Amino acid sequence: QGSYSHSSTGNSAAENHNLHTKDGEIIALERSPGSTRPVSAGQISIDEWIGNEWQEHRYKKLEDSDLLFLSRAIHPESFNSVALHFDLNQMDVEEIQTGQQTDLCCQMLNKWKFKNGDEATLGKLIQNLFSSWISENISVEKEELKSAISKMTMVNNEETAS
């Protein structure tokens, strides 16, 4: 279990299971050996999590440049757990990790896009990141994701305007 080296020692783990507040939302953290699982105090929706800017672009087919922006929101240490939410199997993960030593998160999204073809839309990608964040809130950086969505939708709006 080498990937879970961040578990707390001593009494801090026991004190740490109380409520944490972040941007006005309350998330109770349940500690189990080696992993942190957020349990929302009332189900949080994707729109409450990152806003609804993505909604009108939910059926947008993803370009490679979009994947590069979006992959920056994924914490590399959480690569394996995020890959599970994108339905990538162990063989996919090993292929990505041996084939490419740089930007594994971007490679993971490319692999997912390739496997899903036309089904690989912004909406689906965001749902996968959201489920990953729900199960392990350090896996996805919310502000980075919002910023990536803004960059993508801004570029798209400029294209439609011209």
Side-chain angles (χ1 to χ4, degrees), residues 37-70:
R37 215 180 73 227
V39 181
S40 12
Q43 284 298 21
I44 179 174
S45 73
I46 296 179
D47 288 354
E48 288 171 308
W49 182 50
I50 56 165
N52 61 3
E53 189 181 349
W54 67 280
Q55 289 280 11
E56 63 182 277
H57 302 279
R58 66 188 317 154
Y59 299 112
K60 173 188 177 359
K61 290 193 177 52
L62 297 163
E63 306 298 323
D64 291 349
S65 58
D66 299 335
L67 296 179
L68 185 62
F69 287 144
L70 291 161

Side-chain angles (χ1 to χ4, degrees), residues 122-135:
L122 177 62
K124 285 246 170 59
L125 185 134
I126 287 177
Q127 285 174 327
N128 289 339
L129 289 177
F130 181 63
S131 71
S132 180
W133 179 82
I134 288 288
S135 71

Side-chain angles (χ1 to χ4, degrees), residues 2 18-19 27 34 58 66 72 74-75 90 110 113 118 120 143 146 152 159:
N18 57 355
L19 294 180
I27 297 173
R58 66 188 317 154
D66 299 335
R72 293 182 185 141
I74 301 168
H75 281 272
Q90 192 58 43
N110 277 313
K113 178 186 165 194
D118 288 346
E143 294 310 314
K146 283 174 155 177
M152 287 174 50
E159 284 171 5

Side-chain angles (χ1 to χ4, degrees), residues 16-30:
N16 224 351
H17 75 286
N18 57 355
L19 294 180
H20 290 266
T21 55
K22 185 177 163 193
D23 301 337
E25 65 206 32
I26 297 176
I27 297 173
L29 295 175
E30 280 184 354

